[in-house]
Amino acid sequence: MRIEADRDKCAGLGMCEAMAPDFFEVDEEGTVLVLEEQPGEEHRQDLEAAVVSCPVLALKLRD
């Protein structure tokens, strides 16, 4: 599994960081940083929740 973030779409609202703080952080510029691009499968549920919570659809999970 791989996390993809479209930093151009990101509005910096921080929903992803709230849902999965071990994997996402909103930086000083107000855009998402992916802290671990290839997390283990055991984190899928939290990451899917974070992806779905993004109001601007800036996140994707790829298998």
Side-chain angles (χ1 to χ4, degrees):
M1 174 174 45
R2 181 176 172 84
I3 302 170
E4 293 181 1
D6 185 336
R7 291 177 50 91
D8 292 328
K9 278 187 179 180
C10 181
L13 300 173
M15 298 302 295
C16 57
E17 186 175 14
M19 300 296 288
D22 293 336
F23 299 97
F24 301 102
E25 181 179 308
V26 176
D27 67 13
E28 294 171 359
E29 296 174 11
T31 54
V32 66
L33 293 175
V34 177
L35 302 176
E36 185 177 341
E37 290 184 6
Q38 294 183 315
E41 193 64 32
E42 67 273 15
H43 301 289
R44 182 175 289 275
Q45 185 174 356
D46 291 337
L47 293 169
E48 286 177 346
V51 168
V52 170
S53 74
C54 181
V56 296
L57 306 174
L59 301 172
K60 293 181 183 176
L61 289 181
R62 302 278 188 201
D63 288 318

